[in-house]
């Protein structure tokens, strides 16, 4: 197979469905996904775009957050990753890769739906890294439900706490630490624009993340800080297999994208690097879709 940066047909660059059905309990372990996702472990090559920077990435153990964490470290940043304690085995792999890149790695296990922890993790990151100048709020909960009657108050509460409240708590705790030139990046979804019937609560939070981040960008630019949203389409991560989608949809995940396959996490990492780095100096309050051709209009 040609390497990731060799010119080639993007439709056949990575695995296509059908994939095996593979249920896992939430939050799931990326290391057990079949086929194994490409988070850039072997394929991401850095170019010094984030030399000396200090990044906090929530949900940095797996999936899109892991790809961002690996890319940031290869670009020269020290990286703290936040994750759930049950994800320790995925987190250890990422921490080792950050260290292999010659950077400082900080582990922050805990549940962000807890306000006290969301605030504490920021303080721990500041202590461990010696500051924060890239903040990626990416952790998310997705749980499909067949119809509106099945979305319990507990489901609704957990999704809103994880996807919206935690973002607010983490942002509030982090802003006083962010220096001029810092960058905030939040992960929303194409679901903010094209909500699936089975993701009522999740899609609602993703639309909220877009509005929150755009409003935040207007405040932060007054301090010389940028804030942007990334809106992914279907990416091959454990979020889907661990309850985010029915298993029949996991087996055909990404089939309906223009590429006929899901994206691999490494394919979205360059967008996080651009938004984090000074190369993104004129970009704020924007939403970057990487949707597999669906668009976010
Ligand atoms: P993932 O499961 O690999 O990452 C999500 C991470 O969120 C988990 O690893 C976990 O560490 C963290 N998390 C969840 N609940 C938490 C909690 N209560 N406390 C602390 N951490 C918690 O899946 P992913 O697809 O990489 O998801 C990353 C982001 O991308 C999410 O916000 C998701 O909504 C978004 N997204 C994913 C897709 C996709 O197709 N994979 C599409 C659009 C948006
Ligand atoms: Mg995970």
């Amino acid at each position: 197979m040609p390497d990731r940066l060799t010119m080639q047909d993007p439709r056949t660059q990575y695995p296509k469905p059908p994939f095996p059905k593979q249920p896992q309990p939430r939050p799931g372990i990326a290391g057990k996904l079949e086929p194994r996702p490409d988070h850039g472990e072997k394929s991401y090559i850095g170019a010094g775009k984030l030399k000396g920077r200090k990044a906090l990435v929530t949900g940095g153990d797996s999936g899109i957050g892991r790809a961002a964490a690996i890319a940031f470290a290869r670009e020269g940043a020290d990286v703290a990753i936040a994750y759930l304690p049950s994800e320790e085995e995925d987190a250890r792999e990422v921490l080792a890769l950050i260290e292999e890149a010659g950077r400082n790695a900080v582990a922050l296990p805990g549940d962000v739906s807890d306000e006290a922890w969301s605030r504490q993790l920021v303080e721990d990151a500041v202590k461990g890294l010696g500051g924060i100048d890239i903040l990626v709020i990416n952790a998310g909960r997705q749980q499909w439900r067949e119809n509106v009657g099945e979305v319990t108050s507990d489901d609704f509460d957990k999704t809103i706490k994880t996807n919206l409240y935690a973002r607010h708590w983490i942002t509030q705790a982090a802003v006083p630490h962010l220096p001029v030139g810092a960058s905030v990046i939040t992960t929303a979804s194409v679901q903010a624009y094209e909500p699936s019937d089975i993701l009522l609560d999740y899609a609602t939070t993703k639309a909220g993340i877009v509005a929150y981040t755009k409003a935040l960008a207007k405040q932060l630019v007054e301090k010389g800080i940028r804030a942007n949203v990334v809106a992914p389409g279907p990416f091959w991560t454990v979020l889907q297999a661990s309850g985010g989608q029915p298993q029949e949809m996991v087996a055909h995940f990404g089939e309906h994208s223009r590429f006929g396959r899901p994206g691999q996490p490494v394919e979205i990492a360059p967008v996080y690097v651009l938004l984090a780095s000074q190369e993104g100096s004129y970009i704020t309050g924007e939403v970057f879709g990487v949707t597999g051709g669906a668009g976010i209009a």
Side-chain angles (χ1 to χ4, degrees), residues 27-30 59-63 83-84 87 90-91 238-239:
I29 296 298
D61 61 298
S62 58
Y83 52 93
L84 283 161
E87 299 174 301
D90 274 346
V238 75
L239 192 70

Side-chain angles (χ1 to χ4, degrees), residues 1-2 8-16 259 261:
M1 203 166 74
Q8 60 195 288
D9 186 337
R11 296 170 302 173
T12 51
Q13 190 167 350
Y14 284 105
K16 273 181 186 297
F259 294 83
R261 64 168 178 90

Side-chain angles (χ1 to χ4, degrees), residues 27-28 30 58-66 82-84 87 110-113 117 137-142 162-163 167 187-191 202 206 209 231-240 242 253 265 272:
T58 71
D61 61 298
S62 58
I64 292 166
R66 177 182 185 140
Y83 52 93
L84 283 161
E87 299 174 301
D111 185 340
V112 297
S113 67
W117 170 245
I137 312 181
N138 163 78
R141 178 186 196 274
Q142 178 183 328
T162 309
N163 296 4
R167 265 178 175 67
T187 308
S189 171
V190 68
Q191 289 289 323
Y202 175 83
K206 293 294 168 178
I209 290 164
F235 274 81
W236 186 242
T237 74
V238 75
L239 192 70
Q240 317 304 336
S242 63
F253 195 63
Y272 287 81

Side-chain angles (χ1 to χ4, degrees), residues 1-282:
M1 203 166 74
D3 77 28
R4 191 174 75 84
L5 299 181
T6 301
M7 188 165 70
Q8 60 195 288
D9 186 337
R11 296 170 302 173
T12 51
Q13 190 167 350
Y14 284 105
K16 273 181 186 297
F19 302 121
K21 293 182 182 175
Q22 44 191 306
Q24 287 193 43
R26 201 179 37 244
I29 296 298
K32 294 184 182 154
L33 270 180
E34 182 54 50
R36 283 293 291 258
D38 183 356
H39 306 95
E41 288 88 344
K42 295 198 170 71
S43 63
Y44 189 91
I45 300 162
K49 290 186 176 176
L50 300 173
K51 226 176 256 165
R53 301 285 300 265
K54 301 166 194 308
L56 166 59
V57 182
T58 71
D61 61 298
S62 58
I64 292 166
R66 177 182 185 140
I70 292 170
F72 287 175
R74 302 244 170 110
E75 296 289 355
D78 294 331
V79 187
I81 59 168
Y83 52 93
L84 283 161
S86 61
E87 299 174 301
E88 193 64 35
E89 69 179 270
D90 274 346
R92 285 292 135 201
E93 292 179 7
V94 181
L95 294 162
L97 288 165
I98 296 167
E99 282 170 358
E100 273 169 36
R103 309 309 312 177
N104 181 15
V106 177
L108 301 167
D111 185 340
V112 297
S113 67
D114 176 59
E115 178 172 356
W117 170 245
S118 270
R119 296 183 186 283
Q120 187 61 45
L121 79 85
V122 172
E123 300 310 322
D124 291 357
V126 167
K127 209 179 295 163
L129 297 172
I132 300 177
D133 53 45
I134 299 167
L135 173 63
V136 179
I137 312 181
N138 163 78
R141 178 186 196 274
Q142 178 183 328
Q143 175 69 70
W144 73 278
R145 294 283 182 254
E146 190 69 47
N147 59 59
V148 61
E150 289 174 14
V151 183
T152 65
S153 294
D154 186 53
D155 284 332
F156 205 79
D157 202 45
K158 285 204 173 102
T159 305
I160 304 252
K161 280 264 161 60
T162 309
N163 296 4
L164 278 177
Y165 269 85
R167 265 178 175 67
H168 178 56
W169 297 324
I170 291 166
T171 302
Q172 216 169 39
V175 163
H177 295 289
L178 297 178
V180 171
S183 169
V184 178
I185 306 166
T186 64
T187 308
S189 171
V190 68
Q191 289 289 323
Y193 302 91
E194 288 293 337
S196 299
D197 49 355
I198 60 170
L199 295 175
L200 232 167
D201 53 342
Y202 175 83
T204 302
T205 64
K206 293 294 168 178
I209 290 164
V210 172
Y212 184 99
T213 310
K214 285 179 154 183
L216 182 69
K218 290 178 181 163
Q219 289 189 23
L220 293 185
V221 75
E222 302 295 325
K223 298 171 185 280
I225 298 167
R226 296 175 298 104
N228 291 285
V229 185
V230 181
F235 274 81
W236 186 242
T237 74
V238 75
L239 192 70
Q240 317 304 336
S242 63
Q245 301 281 346
Q247 285 297 316
E248 310 79 70
M249 288 174 76
V250 171
H252 294 281
F253 195 63
E255 197 169 84
H256 301 299
S257 83
R258 296 280 166 193
F259 294 83
R261 64 168 178 90
Q264 293 295 320
V266 71
E267 295 182 280
I268 201 168
V271 176
Y272 287 81
V273 171
L274 169 64
L275 296 175
S277 79
Q278 200 60 31
E279 279 196 323
S281 52
Y282 197 61

